[in-house]
Amino acid sequence: MVKILVTDPLHEEAIKILKEIGDVEVATNLSKEELLKKIEDADVLVVRSGTKVDKEVIEHAKKLKIIGRAGVGVDNIDLDAATKKGIIVVNAPDSSSISVAELTMGLMLAAARNIPQANNSVKRGEWDRKRFKGIELYGKTLGVVGLGRIGQQVVKRAKAFGMDIIAYDPYVSKDFAKSLGVELLDDLNELCERADIITLHVPLTPKTKHMIGEEQIKRMKSNCIIINCARGGLIDEKALYEALKNKKIKAAALDVFEEEPPKNSPLLELDNVICTPHQGASTEEAQKAAGTIVAEQIKKILRGELAENIVNMPSLPMEKLGKIKPYMVLAELLGKIAMQVLDGSVKKVEITYYGDLAKENTDLINRSLLKGLLSPILLAGVNLVNAPILAKNRGIEVVESKSTDKKYGNAIKIIAESDNKKFSLVGSIINNKPTILEIEGYEVNFIPEGIILIIRHIDKPGMIGKVGSILGEYGINIAEMQVGRKEPGGDSVMLIKLDHPVSEEILKKIKSLDNIKDAVLVKS
């Protein structure tokens, strides 16, 4: 009998599903010592955000096959440790999308009609309708930042209110946005200038931190309302406070904060700020969905079926992978590099297989490529199972072809395309290592490891020295370098493997050199 250990509160419907497949023990509020003891003979562990499944817990698990996270985030689970032990981790990424979207609309209405302020006024014995005169949503322009699962749900509901919708999301295509009835903008600043109401639905990353700052807020209309039900830190709260205090924008409605709970935040003192305690997913339906979805995923895996929400992918038996396993690693690397070079915006990818590789079943290689392509823009949840679905949802067209041409030997060629740019790579396995044989049509023999600087330039004397001098000036050591060219004095590409990442300042300095066409930093 499969032993299933549940260590956080779980909806009764989820428990019912789990009892169909195993012996369920519900033990919440465990100390670390108690958890370590109970995990030793568990086959399945089901948690929410409360239980920390760190490396020590995983090492104590003698029989553990599956960890189920009843919710979206998996930051409380050591994925690397789980993967090394061949433990499958599943989650429920769609469980809270509708709940968060509905809270977004609720906060939008509350801010537009001054509902909390009017409620408080009436309870104080006042009756002042003129003071709380609001605005309609109908006919207003809604700016949606992020067209992922939740952003798409918000779009559906906003359209029902008769709103005009513009969006900023560099990771989806214009055709995909058009299919949602949304005008996709290339510039966040333009969205800030045009929108009457702005709502954020993106993860917090180094790139999105304070994406709404003083510069963006200055561009907003004086009657603009901003909603954040995504992550604290997307908005520069100091800049937001100054704008709201000085009536530069109308209002803000926040479910998330940079520090939670928001101790001593001046935003809490303002009448034109509506606050909720990070309750986007706090609905009966979302909690039920989180539990039942993950329980069904566990049920599928234990029956030997394919689960859709595998967060990681354990090592597979070599007899099943055979020749293609090294090419899965290669394909993921090629996809990851391509997405970074195109700055996270890919609408089409062409994959061509050469040599004997063209005779193999390449489905897993395709999935690996898409996993690599999407991983730089999605923080978690991309795996071999859901990568094709996620790519389709973002409007990425995938075209596969095969050639028995022996030009490259057994190789993979990809051409990734954004709205205005193409980028191509050819890779193979040389001496058991993924190797780039061609980049943008230039022949090279380069192992993509670690931090790589890709520079397109005109082949002129001294170019290598000038780039090396700038890197040396900032203490950046070059581990390896290659140049690919077709003819002396023509267009060339320089590949530089670095020991440390370079800043935007260094990149800008390199780009300013004569005969440099472009420079981009990627991580393999």
Side-chain angles (χ1 to χ4, degrees):
M1 192 71 169
V2 175
K3 181 177 179 180
I4 302 172
L5 176 63
V6 179
T7 58
D8 288 318
L10 203 63
H11 196 277
E12 59 185 17
E13 288 296 321
I15 298 293
K16 191 181 295 184
I17 294 169
L18 293 173
K19 284 183 176 178
E20 295 173 6
I21 53 177
D23 181 15
V24 179
E25 178 185 2
V26 178
T28 59
N29 299 314
L30 296 176
S31 67
K32 182 67 173 286
E33 291 72 24
E34 290 171 328
L35 177 59
L36 292 177
K37 187 175 180 180
K38 285 187 176 293
I39 199 67
E40 286 184 354
D41 61 346
D43 297 289
V44 178
L45 173 65
V46 183
V47 302
R48 288 177 60 188
S49 59
T51 300
K52 306 303 178 188
V53 191
D54 58 21
K55 185 177 181 181
E56 185 182 7
V57 172
I58 290 169
E59 286 178 347
H60 271 73
K62 309 299 182 187
K63 299 168 57 184
L64 199 62
K65 302 176 183 69
I66 307 168
I67 299 171
R69 165 66 167 99
V72 181
V74 290
D75 50 332
N76 59 318
I77 301 170
D78 190 327
L79 293 179
D80 289 337
T83 302
K84 286 175 182 177
K85 286 197 70 172
I87 299 168
I88 297 173
V89 181
V90 293
N91 68 344
D94 289 319
S95 57
S96 61
S97 298
I98 291 174
S99 293
V100 177
E102 288 185 355
L103 179 64
T104 299
M105 298 306 299
L107 291 177
M108 201 181 299
L109 287 165
R113 298 301 301 271
N114 304 302
I115 294 171
Q117 297 90 335
N119 171 72
N120 294 338
S121 173
V122 172
K123 287 184 176 181
R124 289 193 300 266
E126 301 167 355
W127 195 260
D128 189 353
R129 283 182 291 182
K130 290 182 181 178
R131 180 180 164 197
F132 301 111
K133 183 171 66 174
I135 60 170
E136 294 181 348
L137 297 188
Y138 179 80
K140 299 299 185 294
T141 298
L142 175 64
V144 180
V145 181
L147 285 175
R149 296 180 181 97
I150 296 169
Q152 291 173 43
Q153 293 292 343
V154 170
V155 167
K156 289 180 184 178
R157 285 151 182 78
K159 287 173 74 68
F161 276 88
M163 303 184 80
D164 297 320
I165 304 170
I166 57 177
Y168 171 76
D169 189 331
Y171 308 131
V172 302
S173 68
K174 290 190 186 309
D175 288 341
F176 175 68
K178 189 176 180 181
S179 72
L180 300 175
V182 174
E183 180 188 353
L184 187 65
L185 305 180
D186 295 323
D187 186 4
L188 177 60
N189 288 337
E190 183 184 351
L191 180 142
C192 292
E193 291 168 357
R194 291 175 53 184
D196 298 303
I197 301 172
I198 297 170
T199 180
L200 308 178
H201 302 287
V202 297
L204 180 64
T205 69
K207 200 168 186 177
T208 61
K209 183 176 174 62
H210 288 182
M211 68 187 304
I212 301 296
E214 183 179 356
E215 175 63 26
Q216 288 70 37
I217 292 172
K218 280 181 180 178
R219 295 172 180 269
M220 295 177 189
K221 300 176 181 179
S222 60
N223 63 347
C224 184
I225 297 170
I226 186 162
I227 317 288
N228 188 8
C229 291
R231 285 290 183 267
L234 297 176
I235 303 174
D236 182 340
E237 291 183 2
K238 290 182 181 178
L240 179 64
Y241 170 76
E242 291 298 327
L244 290 164
K245 180 184 176 183
N246 297 308
K247 310 297 182 185
K248 299 296 183 182
I249 60 175
K250 177 180 172 63
L254 309 172
D255 185 48
V256 291
F257 299 86
E258 292 197 60
E259 180 185 4
E260 294 184 355
K263 300 174 184 176
N264 304 315
S265 172
L267 287 168
L268 305 183
E269 302 168 3
L270 301 177
D271 289 337
N272 53 348
V273 176
I274 300 169
C275 305
T276 49
H278 202 151
Q279 65 183 65
S282 296
T283 63
E284 175 70 19
E285 293 83 359
Q287 296 304 313
K288 179 180 178 181
T292 55
I293 288 171
V294 84
E296 290 290 354
Q297 295 288 297
I298 292 167
K299 190 175 179 180
K300 281 187 175 183
I301 294 168
L302 291 176
R303 287 178 173 176
E305 300 171 10
L306 211 56
E308 296 83 5
N309 298 327
I310 299 175
V311 178
N312 64 343
M313 181 59 64
S315 298
L316 298 174
M318 284 304 297
E319 63 266 24
K320 290 187 179 181
L321 292 177
K323 298 177 181 178
I324 68 168
K325 185 176 180 181
Y327 293 94
M328 291 171 64
V329 176
L330 170 66
E332 185 170 342
L333 275 171
L334 297 180
K336 193 180 291 185
I337 292 169
M339 182 61 89
Q340 291 176 83
V341 169
L342 295 179
D343 198 24
S345 179
V346 171
K347 69 175 186 179
K348 181 180 180 180
V349 59
E350 298 177 29
I351 314 165
T352 305
Y353 295 98
Y354 290 91
D356 292 337
L357 190 60
K359 301 173 184 176
E360 302 291 335
N361 182 335
T362 53
D363 179 65
L364 281 175
I365 305 178
N366 289 347
R367 290 170 178 265
S368 298
L369 173 68
L370 294 176
K371 180 175 181 285
L373 201 67
L374 294 168
S375 61
I377 61 172
L378 298 176
L379 287 182
V382 189
N383 54 63
L384 297 184
V385 176
N386 65 12
I389 299 167
L390 293 173
K392 184 179 179 181
N393 287 345
R394 280 159 177 74
I396 299 175
E397 180 186 357
V398 181
V399 179
E400 179 187 356
S401 61
K402 295 186 176 184
S403 171
T404 54
D405 190 334
K406 300 281 188 177
K407 176 183 178 182
Y408 305 109
N410 294 331
I412 303 170
K413 179 176 182 177
I414 71 163
I415 302 174
E417 183 178 345
S418 66
D419 284 326
N420 54 16
K421 187 177 177 181
K422 286 186 177 182
F423 178 73
S424 67
L425 285 168
V426 177
S428 186
I429 302 297
I430 308 294
N431 296 325
N432 298 317
K433 287 185 174 289
T435 304
I436 295 176
L437 302 180
E438 189 177 285
I439 177 169
E440 292 283 75
Y442 301 99
E443 291 185 6
V444 292
N445 193 311
F446 190 83
I447 298 171
E449 293 175 335
I451 302 162
I452 303 164
L453 185 58
I454 302 174
I455 301 174
R456 292 181 63 247
H457 64 100
I458 298 173
D459 183 34
K460 296 288 185 181
M463 291 306 303
I464 295 172
K466 289 176 183 178
V467 172
S469 295
I470 291 174
L471 294 172
E473 179 186 340
Y474 286 87
I476 306 295
N477 189 53
I478 296 174
E480 184 182 339
M481 191 204 68
Q482 281 192 29
V483 173
R485 66 178 189 176
K486 294 179 180 177
E487 59 183 15
D491 288 344
S492 305
V493 65
M494 195 185 303
L495 298 176
I496 305 175
K497 196 180 297 183
L498 303 172
D499 287 340
H500 303 93
V502 300
S503 64
E504 285 296 327
E505 178 188 353
I506 301 172
L507 271 180
K508 189 175 181 181
K509 204 164 184 179
I510 291 172
K511 289 178 182 179
S512 69
L513 291 172
D514 290 340
N515 299 311
I516 295 288
K517 293 189 170 184
D518 192 24
V520 61
L521 189 73
V522 301
K523 295 179 181 179
S524 63

